[in-house]
Amino acid sequence: MNAAGIQTAFDHFPRRQKQPVPRIQSIAFLLVLGSVAYFVISGLDRHVLTHQPLHATKNLARCNTLKAIAGPPSDFHSRKKSDRFVAGTPPTWIRNARVWTGNDNGIEVLYGDILLDQGLIKHIGSFDAQSLRVQYGPRLVEVDAQDSWVTPGIIDIHSHLGVTAAPGLEGANDLNSLKASAQPWLRGLDGLNTHDDAYPLSISGGVTTSLILPGSCGQAFAIKLRHTEERTPSSMLVEPPLQVQINGSTHVVWTSLFHHICSVLELSGENPSREFSDTRMDTVWHFRQSYDEARKLVERQNDYCAKVKLNRWADLGDFPDDLRWEALADVIRGRTKVNIHCYEAVDIDSMIRVSNEFKFPIATFHHAQEMYLVPEVLRKAWGPTPGVALFATYARFKRESYRASEFAPRHATLCCYIPFHHVVRILASHGIDVSMKSDHAVLDSRFLIYEAQQAHMYGLPANLALASVITTSARMAGLDHRLGYVREGWDADLVIWDSHPLNIAATPKQVYIDGIAQLNKPHLPEKPAELHDLFAAPNFDKQVEDTLKWDGLPPLRPKFTSGDVLFVNVTKIFSRQADEIWSQTLHSSVDGILVRSGRIICVGARCQESAVGNAMIVNLQGGSIFPGLTTFGAPLGMSEIYFAASTNDGVVYDPFISGRFSGETTLFKAIDGLSYGGRNELLAYTYGGVTTAVSAPRSYAFLVDWDVTAVHITITQMFGEQPSVSTQIGVLRKLLLEDNDWFGRVANGTIPLVVAAVGRDIIASLIHLKKEVEAEKASVIKLTIAGGSEAHLIAKELGEARIGVIVNPPKPFPTYWEKRRILAGPPLTKDTIVTTLIKNNVTVALGVTKSSEARNLRFELSYAALQAGGSLSTEEALALGSTNVEKLLGVVVKPEDSDLVAVQGGSLLDFSGVVTAIISPRRGLVDLVERGV
């Protein structure tokens, strides 16, 4: 009741005749009246005020935002122009395209045209050319796709691009904060380097959007990779969340600001133990403690807003806020995509318990390399079933990734032995979303499509494999309302491919981000026409069954026989003749190859007649026989789990790089620390056809060797505390010119010197040193450069000096300053480092850096050949991973003693072929690998 109401009540009292009232009585009457009013009002809610405080409008707005649901506004798809549209961007008409739209669970493929304008996909279908040209006039850009595949832009759901800068320099690494294992207040955006050399490289691989994660715990942000005129991290954001809005921003409208909330990355498992000395129990406690603080904050905010709703402002104060827990508060409100970094079942289970305790959904488990063993546990998470973001074959680099399987993406979608034809239905109802990721720069995100290609090879259906780097990733990031599909009204982020995107070496012909073409005069090599269609994936059902049966560690040693083995339905045989690869075509389907005691004794139509006893018959189904591959660079046999010291040979003491060189020349032999039968070696053997590995002890080591075939050293400026490059080369000069045992052999040309060097200037100094020592010793030094990321800049001089190069990694990346001037290859450059060196008469080979990637040397050879545009034959491509490696490292193998690899259903250089047998003359037997024959 208000004062007026009280006065009205008094009007109902009986009226008396008016008489003069003395002043004292008037005063008494007013006092009584005031007392009555006081007691009446005091009985009401004292917190109700007639006037709101000054901060009321602001706090009302904050309370209203708490009710908002994450996602686009209801009228988002009626927008006529993208909030990221750049004025002056011309409309683009892409004609005659084969379009993978992402619709219908990735099944839909359309043939037609796409119109891009205002940063959006405006129309899809067939257009009247004359009408379009009249409508847009000379501004219209016409692109004839010529039946090329077109997809939405690739989305990397797990990247550290920009926070681990390339090239890596002091002051440019903002990946990790080592303050604590749980720091949800950290924002990856605050450490984003806009000058990272990797942006254009990743775009050239078709990547248009990346979710940039801090390395440990904190807030992640989705960015588009294109250059912006503002040149700021904020201008790269796909949809800036409310907390990072900048006044005056013109590229995002207010209606979308709080609908997309940034993601949170949380780290559990081995990394916190290594980085913060936390046990798993410590890490989970820190998470629970943090979520409890966030829950309390949510309760205080809810109580505050409940009072605001009732207009109870008295003594209410400011809106309760805490910057430390605002991100987790939004997690509990269901408005933040939670991404969990973990590998093992124990960590997956722990975080699912936390999600149920504090009642929040988990969007994605990243890495999750044991998830395929416990798929049902994901369904126990609070809310919708989380997705998983996986590597294809990168594994065993630390203990918790030891059980990783190449079949995990397939098994996640099949979920417990579901046949392929049920995949779509299972996913649509209650399946597990799978994305492939780069973890850039662990893997170069430029080749994220390669992860999807491998996933398809090992059983992930093609529609889901493409979706795993496009549509599924968009959904996991909460961006599928504008990214991940070719739909009218979605962002104009597209890729035109030169071949089917799931085929090896698929390369963008053009990339559009916000309708802006990103590749300036792209260089495209000629490729075989059959790459326009998808390859036939092999059958690995038996291997999947064994992987699950053996809890992720199936036996890998093949069966063997020393008896007769007859290979039939063979297309070609590639073999070594001297130090080259030769091939022979078998013209008849009845032709065969007979092997006895590990040696070929017959090739032709009458081989079956020569077989003795019950010869084993192996049908290669149109496959071929290839030379065994030789790998160099990865510590095969020296390191089983890189980050587990007890599984390694150890680190060789390196007096050269440490600056403590005493003049002694002790030779450390890798063979002394060799361990046999590791999983990386067996996988390289049985899946990759790698029969020989040249390994050095783990380190950038001085004077190391494998069975004394060569002397290996490193010359680098990579480490901060090492001696100068001139000092390192000066010491090498001294050793070569002295009458030293091993370096004397190098100086006399008896054994090769293999120098790990990547920068042009160091390589140039080594060329000069070689000439200097040769002149002094009247000899010819066998010098090989290992690494050679900038070798193309000095290719002519290398050829003239007869210095070979083992390119490693096979796809160069500007990791460090001395590797910054790489030759990227198509579509950014016409030539590759391999083709440039070969043109200058340099003997070239390819190496690998990671043990788990040795199995994929075969695909690196294929990639190099396809990017060469037909200038490399199959024989020359095989030599890059076999005879050339051996030649450059001093490994001598007689052609008649060299291993051969039988491949079923395809080639060693494609995704269809699977290794079925290894023919070993030196061991006198044939190893038989079961591959679903």
Side-chain angles (χ1 to χ4, degrees), residues 352 361-365 377-388 431-433 476:
I352 285 176
I362 296 171
T364 310
F365 280 98
V377 75
L378 289 184
R379 306 185 194 287
K380 297 179 181 179
W382 195 90
T385 301
V388 291
I432 299 170
D433 281 342
M476 286 181 175

Side-chain angles (χ1 to χ4, degrees), residues 570-638:
V570 183
T571 300
K572 273 189 174 184
I573 178 170
F574 296 84
S575 59
R576 303 179 192 222
Q577 302 292 331
D579 58 354
E580 295 182 350
I581 304 294
W582 291 72
S583 65
Q584 176 183 351
T585 300
L586 279 68
H587 296 287
S588 171
S589 60
V590 298
D591 283 355
I593 296 176
L594 181 63
V595 176
R596 178 174 298 158
S597 298
R599 296 184 182 273
I600 293 178
I601 63 169
C602 176
V603 177
R606 305 182 66 86
C607 290
Q608 190 165 359
E609 300 174 6
S610 304
V612 175
N614 293 323
M616 180 172 290
I617 298 177
V618 178
N619 185 350
L620 293 190
Q621 300 175 9
S624 298
I625 293 177
F626 298 85
L629 301 181
T630 299
T631 184
F632 170 75
L636 289 175
M638 311 302 298

Side-chain angles (χ1 to χ4, degrees), residues 691-725:
T691 61
T692 305
V694 180
S695 298
R698 176 183 164 185
S699 74
Y700 294 96
F702 177 55
L703 300 178
V704 297
D705 189 37
W706 179 84
D707 202 20
V708 200
T709 62
V711 172
H712 298 248
I713 68 169
T714 296
I715 305 291
T716 182
Q717 61 189 98
M718 191 179 304
F719 306 108
E721 302 299 325
Q722 75 213 35
S724 66
V725 171

